[in-house]
Amino acid sequence: MLPRPHCCTVKLIRIARPASITDELAASHEIDLAEHEGRAIMVTGVLPERKGWLCEANVIDQAGPI
């Protein structure tokens, strides 16, 4: 994913981008990032127009402790 200008903070979810996404649906598929605490991560995914969630997210790399 390339950085977008004026991007936002997002939560990562594993599901594909549904036609309609509710906060409850997204939260039930959210990726727990606790194991990556204190590390920089590289993530791929689809950033839909509705801000707040990165769909089809996948952590592809992580750095050592920051």
Side-chain angles (χ1 to χ4, degrees):
M1 179 174 89
L2 297 175
R4 287 188 181 178
H6 311 293
C7 192
C8 55
T9 300
V10 295
K11 294 182 180 182
L12 310 178
I13 57 174
R14 294 189 195 285
I15 60 174
R17 178 178 41 183
S20 170
I21 188 168
T22 64
D23 288 338
E24 294 80 20
L25 172 66
S28 68
H29 294 280
E30 186 175 355
I31 296 174
D32 181 10
L33 297 174
E35 69 181 274
H36 304 289
E37 186 70 32
R39 299 175 184 267
I41 59 172
M42 183 181 296
V43 178
T44 61
V46 177
L47 189 61
E49 293 303 315
R50 185 177 186 277
K51 295 180 178 165
W53 302 100
L54 181 68
C55 300
E56 300 176 50
N58 189 28
V59 177
I60 59 172
D61 201 6
Q62 70 176 356
I66 297 175

